[in-house]
Amino acid sequence: MEKDKIFFYKGSPITFQKGNGVMVNATEMAKPFGKRPVKWLELPSTKEFLAALTEVRKSDIALVQTDKGGVNGGGGTWMHEDVALVCSLALSRVRYLVQRPYQRVGGNTRERRERTITK
């Protein structure tokens, strides 16, 4: 796996891991909004979305992973980039509107996102 990339949003770090796909630390992503990703994951609409995405993707890559932290933290909820993008809608509609133009079906959208993450 490549080295983690850390980006900052409103002064808060958000870690991205690139391997077979890009995983985003959703716990860090939600922190500037005073929210927790577990609440979004508990929603029936989220469960329905994840089930549909799993069926369509037919991939071995986990869409959501939860790491338990120790006494000093270190845990967190990690989401595949596709899931993190949809979760960002629940965090902030403004953020979603900014990201939306890069989410087209087909074309070189993934290529554009990977260039952003690897720079």
Side-chain angles (χ1 to χ4, degrees):
M1 183 173 286
E2 294 182 23
K3 186 176 178 185
D4 294 352
K5 299 284 184 180
I6 299 174
F7 295 92
F8 289 86
Y9 180 78
K10 292 188 177 183
S12 294
I14 302 173
T15 307
F16 291 73
Q17 291 180 343
K18 188 172 180 197
N20 291 335
V22 176
M23 297 295 284
V24 181
N25 187 317
T27 304
E28 293 173 348
M29 182 175 78
K31 190 174 181 179
F33 301 97
K35 297 183 180 181
R36 297 176 51 222
V38 68
K39 295 296 182 188
W40 180 76
L41 289 167
E42 291 172 347
L43 296 173
S45 58
T46 302
K47 291 177 182 179
E48 184 179 337
F49 163 71
L50 291 173
L53 187 59
T54 299
E55 185 177 325
V56 169
R57 290 177 46 96
K58 297 181 186 350
S59 172
D60 291 344
I61 299 172
L63 296 175
V64 178
Q65 296 177 330
T66 303
D67 297 332
K68 296 200 183 269
V71 176
N72 297 320
T77 300
W78 291 84
M79 296 179 178
H80 183 273
E81 62 183 322
D82 295 336
V83 177
L85 180 68
V86 175
C87 179
S88 72
L89 173 59
L91 300 175
S92 169
R93 298 202 186 281
V94 172
R95 186 174 185 186
Y96 176 78
L97 292 173
V98 169
Q99 291 176 337
R100 184 68 182 134
Y102 294 98
Q103 297 304 309
R104 292 191 335 238
V105 176
N108 62 358
T109 303
R110 176 176 297 282
E111 198 174 278
R112 229 181 299 174
R113 280 187 285 164
E114 287 180 358
R115 278 198 305 256
T116 303
I117 290 169
T118 56
K119 284 185 180 178

